[in-house]
Amino acid sequence: MSLLSVKNLTIRFGGLVAVDNLNFEMEPGKITSLIGPNGAGKTTVINMLTGFYTPTSGKIILYEKDGKGNEVPVDITGNSTDLVVKKGLSRTFQNIRLFSNMTALDNILVGMQHRIEYGSFLSLFPNAQKNKWEKQAREEAIEILKKVGLEDAAYERATSLPYGKQRKLEIGRALASHPKVLLLDEPAAGMNPAEKKELSQFIRSLLNEVEGILLIEHDMKLIMDISDKIVVLNHGAKICEGKPEEVQTNEEVIEAYLGKKGVQRNVTAG
Amino acid sequence: MKTILKKHLLFLIIIVVMCVAPVFTNAYQLRILISAALAMIFAMSLNLLMGIGGTVSFGHAAFYSIGAYTTAVLWYHFRTAYSTNFIPVLLVTGLAGLLLSLPMSRITGRYVTIITLSFAEIVNLIIKNWDPVTLGQMGIVGIPSVNLFGHVLKSKTEFFYLTMFFVIMTYIIMNWLVNSKLGRNLRAISNDAIAAEAMGIKIFPYKVIVFTISAVFAGIAGSLYAHLMSYVEPSTFNSNLSFQCISMVVIGGLGNFSGTMVGALFLTILPEYLRRFEFLFKYRMIAYGLVLVIVMWINHSIPGTKLKNAVTSRFNALLHRKNAEAQEA
Ligand SMILES: Nc1ncnc2c1ncn2[C@@H]1O[C@H](COP(=O)(O)OP(=O)(O)OP(=O)(O)O)[C@@H](O)[C@H]1O
Ligand SMILES: [Mg+2]
């Protein structure tokens, strides 16, 4: 059983190999986390998965179910972003990127846009189909706002929301496209401990909405708490993969985070 | 119903006042009123592009001139009526808008300014030099009154109500557009193109659609202008006209269509009034200039923007820390 698999994924920017021959699998119903020091290539992986960057080599395979419930591998390598969204991948950004001058509700509605099926041309004229869709979409958007705890802020401008709520809104917007796989790039960045704790429960609860979550995070406590599997990147390459307790004790990981000295100190201390 | 009324109250007031106005105006004032109505259509079309689409076009006069010249040229060569020319006007201006939209999904900021400006210059050069078709510098004179399927609008009052019909239609259609998936996605693109892409929006077709529709409405205004003046010449459609149009939109508020109508009314009537005071009239361009500087500041293309962003982001960070501290306590 697999949800998404990344095979020998590599991307070069000129001389820099930002992601180097990366392999990992995401399983359904699980939170897979991607960690690593600054510049390790984590965001670049999300950018490749969602079609913002085209990999230099390697494959991204999404597993879909056919009518009989069999797994069918679909190659989404190098697909454009709009196709990837239709196939069921949706992301948030490391630096919040909301539609700042639009209301929270409109942000969600934009997230739903690929499911709203009246042609753009029909927007030119009032018609029953459009009215029906808009009404339904609004009701659903309110539901999504409730899920992320923003029902009171529906008509507030995105920028006027406090920081923690902006993060939640961005997750809500990603959920609005009904993704199979949700990709969260440092959702806890800039939050205080109380907010982080609340967020980690919230992320866990999202597994009821989506089939799998790929999480990038620097906060080790949060990562160890909620991950089912952790993939550790350093200089673009995977140095370790496993359950939280396995990764925690891996020497290469400690070395990547703390440097060689850190390992020695750890050893002497241990 | 009540909320709809409230939302469009300003629009309704303007329409009622303007439609009653001809009872009280003399011929000269009526002409100004017609110019204002044309400016409303023209400026609303630009507001779709600027306020909703997030693109400041410095060459919107190009579409106005193409609309004016399409109807003028067709009349000159084929003696066709206004109503016959109407569809060609839509097609030609729409095509011009589509052409200008092609590079727009790949450029931002000052490049948009340069390309829209040059587009208008090129259109103007073509009109000036394509003598066999446009009669070049001479212009086309003697364009008759509007002929609607055989019914000739003899009086300026009739013509005024025709333009008001188009003002109302423009406003209604703009509102349909804005309150739909199309308008929402356009605003999303202008807010943050990368986030819009992440939501599965393809930028290119949206730029094509918004430029085409915007151009078509500017073209409708231009074609009416040709029949109002009864002549067209290339020098009328200079960059000045584009700047005035931008000013109208900015005064009325980006994305606010009834506001644009006020802006158009204001900037059409005021210069006429200022004509009496030669000194003030001479300096009206300075006012336009100031408005433009403000537009550019808002649109991130001149220095000072970094400072503005730095200030707002620091402020947000500070606010957040305060909130966080309050929560922890
Ligand atoms: N478009 C690009 N062009 C050139 N280099 C890039 C590009 N995108 C990313 N890089 C480089 O790739 C490397 C990995 O960057 P990435 O943003 O993926 O790191 P990260 O693991 O997300 O780091 P952080 O924890 O700081 O967010 C960095 O050296 C970065 O400079
Ligand atoms: Mg990153």
Side-chain angles (χ1 to χ4, degrees):
Chain A
M1 280 282 275
S2 187
L3 178 60
L4 183 119
S5 79
V6 166
K7 292 182 174 153
N8 305 322
L9 201 63
T10 301
I11 189 166
R12 286 196 193 90
F13 297 114
L16 175 84
V17 186
V19 173
D20 189 4
N21 205 23
L22 177 68
N23 289 283
F24 72 88
E25 302 268 326
M26 285 180 70
E27 283 166 48
K30 298 271 162 73
I31 296 178
T32 309
S33 292
L34 207 52
I35 66 168
N38 288 112
K42 306 178 294 293
T43 300
T44 306
V45 171
I46 285 197
N47 280 334
M48 285 190 283
L49 292 177
T50 51
F52 278 91
Y53 293 164
T54 309
T56 313
S57 63
K59 288 231 172 306
I60 302 161
I61 310 286
L62 183 69
Y63 294 92
E64 289 179 352
K65 293 243 159 53
D66 68 2
K68 296 182 206 100
N70 297 324
E71 267 185 4
V72 187
V74 182
D75 187 347
I76 59 165
T77 323
N79 278 6
S80 61
T81 307
D82 59 298
L83 282 179
V84 172
V85 171
K86 284 203 182 96
K87 296 234 167 81
L89 270 68
S90 194
R91 71 174 292 180
T92 64
F93 291 89
Q94 186 168 347
N95 311 304
I96 305 177
R97 298 193 85 116
L98 287 169
F99 305 120
S100 46
N101 292 324
M102 296 167 72
T103 61
L105 185 73
D106 276 347
N107 269 271
I108 302 283
L109 284 167
V110 175
M112 292 169 63
Q113 67 88 25
H114 83 94
R115 298 191 287 124
I116 299 179
E117 277 169 357
Y118 59 89
S120 292
F121 190 69
L122 279 179
S123 295
L124 275 170
F125 311 100
N127 60 86
Q129 203 191 353
K130 174 184 153 187
N131 294 344
K132 197 181 109 211
W133 261 108
E134 284 292 312
K135 195 164 167 290
Q136 272 179 11
R138 256 153 226 281
E139 282 165 12
E140 202 191 319
I142 297 276
E143 285 306 308
I144 294 171
L145 283 174
K146 275 188 191 146
K147 256 175 224 159
V148 297
L150 286 170
E151 64 269 37
D152 298 332
Y155 296 98
E156 279 180 49
R157 260 170 35 130
T159 32
S160 70
L161 297 173
Y163 187 83
K165 290 198 170 167
Q166 292 193 20
R167 285 266 178 218
K168 284 279 188 68
L169 180 58
E170 212 194 7
I171 296 174
R173 186 180 67 183
L175 286 175
S177 73
H178 279 188
K180 283 159 63 107
V181 185
L182 184 64
L183 310 135
L184 303 175
D185 197 346
E186 300 197 20
M191 286 190 174
N192 63 41
E195 285 174 319
K196 273 182 186 167
K197 202 163 165 209
E198 204 262 328
L199 182 80
S200 97
Q201 276 163 7
F202 172 67
I203 292 175
R204 197 76 229 177
S205 77
L206 291 179
L207 283 175
N208 299 324
E209 313 280 332
V210 300
E211 291 179 34
I213 296 174
L214 184 71
L215 174 68
I216 294 180
E217 199 29 80
H218 276 301
D219 187 281
M220 281 308 137
K221 184 166 163 4
L222 192 144
I223 283 285
M224 297 301 163
D225 275 354
I226 68 169
S227 308
D228 294 301
K229 178 164 83 179
I230 299 175
V231 175
V232 190
L233 284 185
N234 194 20
H235 300 299
K238 182 169 86 179
I239 55 172
C240 166
E241 172 180 343
K243 293 206 168 69
E245 51 277 16
E246 293 164 9
V247 169
Q248 229 163 354
T249 50
N250 184 294
E251 277 203 9
E252 239 183 304
V253 175
I254 298 167
E255 189 185 311
Y257 270 92
L258 304 173
K260 275 229 157 56
K261 273 196 182 133
V263 176
Q264 277 160 8
R265 217 178 298 140
N266 237 22
V267 170
T268 46
Chain B
M1 192 60 213
K2 223 176 173 178
T3 50
I4 292 181
L5 200 72
K6 210 170 143 193
K7 203 172 148 200
H8 301 293
L9 188 62
L10 183 57
F11 165 74
L12 292 171
I13 293 173
I14 298 168
I15 293 299
V16 169
V17 169
M18 282 188 73
C19 285
V20 175
V23 179
F24 306 102
T25 52
N26 59 32
Y28 165 71
Q29 288 163 336
L30 182 63
R31 222 184 155 77
I32 296 172
L33 221 49
I34 296 173
S35 303
L38 291 181
M40 284 177 183
I41 303 170
F42 186 36
M44 278 195 274
S45 77
L46 180 64
N47 200 0
L48 179 70
L49 203 56
M50 267 174 76
I52 309 299
T55 309
V56 185
S57 170
F58 284 83
H60 212 51
F63 302 125
Y64 196 75
S65 68
I66 291 172
Y69 263 93
T70 305
T71 192
V73 164
L74 286 175
W75 167 78
Y76 183 81
H77 292 282
F78 307 107
R79 301 290 148 178
T80 43
Y82 171 80
S83 50
T84 318
N85 297 345
F86 190 70
I87 302 290
V89 165
L90 303 188
L91 290 177
V92 177
T93 49
L95 205 67
L98 190 147
L99 194 70
L100 181 57
S101 76
L102 296 179
M104 289 300 161
S105 59
R106 261 165 259 141
I107 55 173
T108 52
R110 67 203 75 181
Y111 300 104
V112 174
T113 309
I114 293 167
I115 293 209
T116 50
L117 260 176
S118 349
F119 177 78
E121 275 320 306
I122 291 168
V123 167
N124 207 242
L125 275 175
I126 292 173
I127 291 175
K128 260 185 203 148
N129 294 297
W130 198 8
D131 289 5
V133 174
T134 63
L135 308 192
Q137 299 278 15
M138 270 166 53
I140 297 174
V141 293
I143 304 166
S145 303
V146 164
N147 178 336
L148 284 178
F149 310 104
H151 171 77
V152 178
L153 304 189
K154 287 199 195 71
S155 75
K156 280 284 177 281
T157 316
E158 273 180 293
F159 184 83
F160 170 72
Y161 286 113
L162 177 70
T163 47
M164 284 312 289
F165 167 76
F166 280 112
V167 169
I168 294 168
M169 284 316 291
T170 308
Y171 180 86
I172 292 174
I173 292 176
M174 293 297 163
N175 272 286
W176 285 339
L177 280 176
V178 171
N179 299 310
S180 68
K181 174 179 165 180
L182 175 64
R184 210 162 40 228
N185 286 3
L186 280 170
R187 279 186 294 146
I189 293 170
S190 76
N191 264 258
D192 189 328
I194 289 177
E197 269 191 287
M199 294 301 113
I201 298 173
K202 275 190 278 187
I203 309 230
F204 181 74
Y206 279 92
K207 291 281 180 198
V208 172
I209 291 172
V210 72
F211 267 86
T212 307
I213 297 174
S214 174
V216 164
F217 281 93
I220 291 174
S223 68
L224 288 168
Y225 172 85
H227 289 276
L228 170 70
M229 303 305 287
S230 80
Y231 71 90
V232 286
E233 55 173 354
S235 64
T236 323
F237 309 104
N238 51 21
S239 53
N240 221 339
L241 186 62
S242 301
F243 292 157
Q244 273 184 41
C245 193
I246 292 175
S247 310
M248 289 169 187
V249 172
V250 172
I251 286 177
L254 291 176
N256 178 348
F257 289 95
S258 45
T260 301
M261 291 167 73
V262 176
L265 201 59
F266 184 70
L267 283 188
T268 312
I269 294 176
L270 189 73
E272 289 300 330
Y273 183 72
L274 289 183
R275 252 176 227 288
R276 301 181 201 173
F277 314 100
E278 206 186 317
F279 172 78
L280 287 175
F281 188 69
K282 235 169 39 196
Y283 291 104
R284 74 193 189 287
M285 291 318 293
I286 294 177
Y288 291 143
L290 279 176
V291 171
L292 282 182
V293 170
I294 294 167
V295 180
M296 284 165 73
W297 197 63
I298 294 168
N299 284 285
H300 301 232
S301 42
I302 57 165
T305 312
K306 282 222 175 83
L307 181 74
K308 187 182 77 180
N309 289 344
V311 170
T312 46
S313 72
R314 279 220 74 79
F315 183 72
N316 285 340
L318 210 74
L319 212 67
H320 173 61
R321 219 171 53 212
K322 278 257 164 64
N323 283 342
E325 277 164 8
Q327 269 192 17
E328 286 206 318

